[in-house]
């Protein structure tokens, strides 16, 4: 079947999609967007997290046909998405990266990087919804994303940093 | 495989009548796992996401009419006051990503004994509105679960809504698992005080082939509260009563040994959860003026 939907602001079309195929497969294998990772295909790891009409979801658990006509944001579109949301003066945004991406680099929250795309999408949505998250809020928002490398502390640092930079009233802390 | 995309409820019913083997897919958090792992190859996959009614809810005088596909995250954000037990249970499901997609309709469709909404629905009191081209049935939720991963739906029926009694008193939910997120219940327990009818209802999950109510325990506790005049006095429940209630809840279980826990552990844990959650709901009942108020009697932990 043919499936048409918007990814990162642009209309994409995929042909010969198998009816049982996941959104994740279509993004990675048919649309040339391998940023969303495939690890478990059962919703456990969060490395495939994308936004579907704004909501963070596991792309591996959405049937491609369910996305017809809807809007998806993947890690590839995160910088642009953040720029449009925050305006060009959005603090902490540097060039091609969303603030949350820059914060992950600055805080040393990336090791092998496999979990990173999903965490970035989830963390960015958290800060959008809750600009000053507590540590408990961060842990809850990221509880569906597994990381085998970092032990999560640097990821916590990165999200705190991204939130602090986005919050104009707060002093810069690194 | 064929992908069906009904644009309305009527179309969905017609499609299900025409293709009884079609597998409905709502949030997909059960269905897609089965497809990804080749455990299921239905002839037809029927997307319910386009059917607006299923994503809506209505708050009536007595019940909340919850569309089958309303995701857990909406229940937590919007219905915690009316459905405190279900909101607590919803909060323990999977992860934020799963809660943004997963629904009570899907939980009922899957009818896993470990589904977290079941103990909360049993405790609150609920009816499943099942519809087909032949007509509508209202199935009390305790009759809906017919076996391990089996439910009372006919092959041409779909769940339209779940009618859940609005809380008239405190409700609680408790779940045993290895960590705080992404956990299938080892066992789970839901309890609701119903001061208006002076009854207590208790639902048990993952400790029998189906979710079930602990009816003997409910009746015992109801009688003990009545005889002791506790609904009026709001006095502390005597420890012997709480203990007996817990034992009767344990006794209602018919658990198995599996990778998540042994039968003996499940029985014991259900008793512990019963005693603790009873303590919690009774404390909030006492704290809200012995339930003489009908508003705000429910509290979300
Ligand atoms: C990582 C992960 C963690 C999970 N954690 C939990 C947990 O903690 N607790 C828990 O209870 N569950 C958990 N689940 C299971 C799942 O999320 C729930 O059962 C959820 O409620 C399913 O809802 P859904 O809308 O995604 O259902 P779907 O996957 O879309 O459907 C599930 C079943 O219901 C049927 N169905 C759906 N809608 C209807 C309808 N309207 N009428 C008739 N049949 C219908 C489908 O055909 C299918 O058989 C988890 C799943 C994953 C992947
Ligand atoms: S690949 Fe989707 S959650 Fe792991
Ligand atoms: S950085 Fe390797 S899994 Fe997280």
């Amino acid at each position: 079947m043919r499936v048409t939907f918007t990814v990162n602001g642009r209309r994409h079309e995929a042909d010969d999609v198998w009816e049982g195929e996941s959104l994740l497969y279509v993004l990675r294998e048919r649309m040339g967007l391998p940023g969303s990772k495939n690890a478990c295909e059962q919703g456990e790891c969060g490395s495939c997290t994308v936004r579907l009409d704004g909501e963070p979801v596991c792309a591996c658990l959405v049937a491609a046909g369910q996305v017809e006509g809807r809007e998806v944001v993947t890690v590839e579109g995160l910088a642009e998405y953040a720029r449009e949301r925050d305006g060009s003066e959005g603090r902490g945004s540097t060039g091609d990266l969303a603030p949350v991406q820059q914060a992950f680099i600055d805080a040393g929250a990336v090791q092998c990087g496999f979990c990173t795309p999903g965490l970035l999408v989830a963390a960015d949505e958290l800060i959008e919804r809750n600009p000053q998250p507590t540590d408990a809020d961060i842990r809850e928002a990221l509880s569906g994303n597994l990381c085998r490398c970092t032990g999560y502390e640097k990821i916590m640092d990165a999200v705190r940093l991204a939130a602090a930079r986005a919050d104009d009233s707060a002093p810069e802390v690194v | 495989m064929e992908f069906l995309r009904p644009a309305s409820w009527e179309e969905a019913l017609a499609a299900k009548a025409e293709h009884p083997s079609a597998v409905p897919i709502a949030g997909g958090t059960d269905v897609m796992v089965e497809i990804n792992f080749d455990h299921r190859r239905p002839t037809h996959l029927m997307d319910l996401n386009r059917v607006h009614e299923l994503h809506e809810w209505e708050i009536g005088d007595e019940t909340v009419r919850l569309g089958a596909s309303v995701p857990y995250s909406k229940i937590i954000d919007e219905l915690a006051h009316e459905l405190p037990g279900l909101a607590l249970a919803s909060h323990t499901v999977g992860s934020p990503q799963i809660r943004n997609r997963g629904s009570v309709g899907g939980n009922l469709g899957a009818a896993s004994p470990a589904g977290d909404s079941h103990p909360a629905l049993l405790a609150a009191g609920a009816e499943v509105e099942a519809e087909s081209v032949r007509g509508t049935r209202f199935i009390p939720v305790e009759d809906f679960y017919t076996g391990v991963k089996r439910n009372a739906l006919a092959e041409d029926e779909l769940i339209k809504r779940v009618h859940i009694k609005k809380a008239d008193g405190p409700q609680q939910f408790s779940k045993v698992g290895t960590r705080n997120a992404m956990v299938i219940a080892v066992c789970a327990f839901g309890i609701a005080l119903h001061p208006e009818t002076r009854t207590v209802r208790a639902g048990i999950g993952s400790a029998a082939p189906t979710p079930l109510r602990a009816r003997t325990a409910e009746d015992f506790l109801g009688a003990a509260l009545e005889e002791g005049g506790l609904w009026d006095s709001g006095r502390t429940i005597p420890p012997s009563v709480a203990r007996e209630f817990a034992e009767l809840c344990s006794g209602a279980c018919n658990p198995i040994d599996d990778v998540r826990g042994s039968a003996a552990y499940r029985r014991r844990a259900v008793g512990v959860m019963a005693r603790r959650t009873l303590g919690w709901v009774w404390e909030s009942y006492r704290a809200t003026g012995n339930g003489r108020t009908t508003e705000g009697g429910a509290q979300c932990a």
Side-chain angles (χ1 to χ4, degrees):
Chain A
M1 65 178 172
R2 168 176 292 184
V3 182
T4 309
F5 52 91
T6 304
V7 189
N8 302 327
R10 273 179 294 281
R11 226 173 90 104
H12 282 249
E13 204 170 80
D15 279 315
D16 302 319
V17 173
W18 175 59
E19 287 68 20
E21 213 161 285
S22 69
L23 167 62
L24 179 61
Y25 188 93
V26 170
L27 290 171
R28 289 178 56 85
E29 309 296 335
R30 299 190 187 277
M31 293 179 171
L33 293 166
S36 314
K37 297 294 174 240
N38 179 1
C40 72
E41 291 201 285
Q42 54 180 316
E44 296 276 348
C45 75
S47 63
C48 65
T49 302
V50 301
R51 292 178 71 169
L52 175 59
D53 289 347
E55 309 266 296
V57 304
C58 296
C60 68
L61 297 183
V62 180
Q66 294 186 290
V67 191
E68 178 69 34
R70 300 176 69 175
E71 295 214 14
V72 176
V73 176
T74 70
V75 71
E76 286 94 341
L78 204 59
E80 197 181 329
Y81 181 83
R83 220 164 15 244
E84 271 173 27
R85 176 187 58 209
D86 307 338
S88 49
E89 284 110 276
R91 279 177 66 187
S93 113
T94 47
D96 293 338
L97 298 180
V100 71
Q101 289 173 307
Q102 191 60 51
F104 266 61
I105 293 174
D106 295 344
V110 184
Q111 288 191 30
C112 81
F114 200 89
C115 66
T116 312
L119 276 161
L120 289 170
V121 172
D124 181 69
E125 192 269 347
L126 165 67
I127 296 167
E128 173 182 310
R129 177 166 45 85
N130 178 358
Q132 291 171 298
T134 62
D135 280 4
D137 295 337
I138 300 173
R139 283 179 198 282
E140 161 113 13
L142 304 186
S143 61
N145 295 76
L146 299 183
C147 173
R148 300 291 306 263
C149 301
T150 63
Y152 302 103
E153 283 308 321
K154 301 281 184 191
I155 293 171
M156 293 292 296
D157 289 345
V159 181
R160 289 187 201 111
L161 178 61
R165 284 176 176 169
D167 181 10
D168 287 331
S169 58
E172 177 92 345
V173 278
V174 180
Chain B
M1 196 186 294
E2 231 183 286
F3 198 85
L4 306 172
R5 290 179 182 146
S8 68
W9 178 242
E10 287 69 30
E11 272 183 47
L13 292 180
K16 190 71 174 124
E18 195 185 338
H19 309 285
S21 66
V23 172
I25 175 166
T29 59
D30 280 312
V31 172
M32 284 305 285
V33 175
E34 292 177 334
I35 292 180
N36 289 344
F37 284 80
D38 237 336
H39 293 157
R40 202 165 188 179
R41 278 285 177 275
T43 56
H44 299 79
L45 207 51
M46 185 167 92
D47 178 25
L48 296 177
N49 282 187
R50 260 147 247 274
V51 182
H52 290 295
E53 294 97 307
L54 299 184
H55 295 271
E56 290 163 2
W57 66 88
E58 264 176 280
I59 302 173
D61 287 340
E62 305 256 305
T63 61
V64 173
R65 293 183 285 279
L66 182 73
S69 300
V70 173
Y72 292 113
S73 52
K74 278 279 180 323
I75 297 172
I76 298 165
D77 290 347
E78 313 271 346
L79 292 167
H81 180 73
E82 290 78 10
L83 308 175
L86 185 63
L88 286 170
S90 300
H91 212 147
T92 74
V93 172
S95 64
Q97 289 91 326
I98 300 298
R99 296 195 287 272
N100 282 337
R101 296 286 296 162
S103 62
V104 171
N107 216 222
L108 288 164
S112 159
D116 285 318
S117 63
H118 312 318
L121 295 176
L122 287 165
E127 282 187 331
V128 179
E129 182 180 348
E131 199 171 318
S132 71
V133 290
R134 294 173 293 121
T136 302
R137 298 196 284 157
F138 291 87
I139 309 166
V141 72
E142 37 278 86
D143 300 334
F144 187 78
Y145 316 108
T146 54
V148 179
K149 303 196 175 174
R150 293 187 173 277
N151 62 40
L153 290 180
E155 58 176 14
D156 61 347
E157 279 181 324
L158 293 171
I159 302 166
K160 186 174 193 184
R161 287 185 276 246
V162 188
H163 299 241
I164 310 161
K165 276 262 177 57
K166 280 164 64 175
D168 62 317
Q171 302 185 347
Q172 272 294 345
F173 176 83
S174 184
K175 167 174 170 183
V176 174
T178 43
R179 69 182 186 108
N180 239 343
M182 213 63 104
V183 156
I184 301 177
V186 175
C187 51
F189 191 83
I191 186 169
L193 297 184
H194 298 284
E196 279 174 15
T197 48
R198 299 200 160 187
T199 53
V200 180
R201 288 170 60 123
I204 298 174
S206 211
T210 65
L212 52 90
R213 272 175 71 186
R215 292 194 193 249
T216 318
E218 293 175 357
D219 292 346
F220 161 79
L221 183 59
L225 294 175
E226 196 61 65
E227 274 159 30
L230 296 179
W231 288 110
D232 290 321
S233 70
R235 277 200 311 275
T236 308
I237 295 178
S240 61
V241 170
R243 222 169 19 241
E244 178 71 13
F245 174 69
E247 266 167 38
L248 290 169
C249 287
S250 279
C253 301
N254 181 16
I256 54 165
D257 294 320
D258 70 9
V259 287
R260 279 176 285 134
S262 67
Y265 175 78
R266 287 189 157 101
R267 235 184 235 112
R268 178 163 168 74
V270 164
V272 172
M273 288 190 289
R275 186 171 42 75
R276 280 191 196 153
T277 55
L278 173 59
W280 297 338
V281 287
W282 194 253
E283 272 314 304
S284 10
Y285 176 70
R286 286 151 51 88
T288 52
N290 301 346
R292 267 187 284 273
T293 53
T294 48
E295 288 286 311
Q299 181 188 308
C300 188

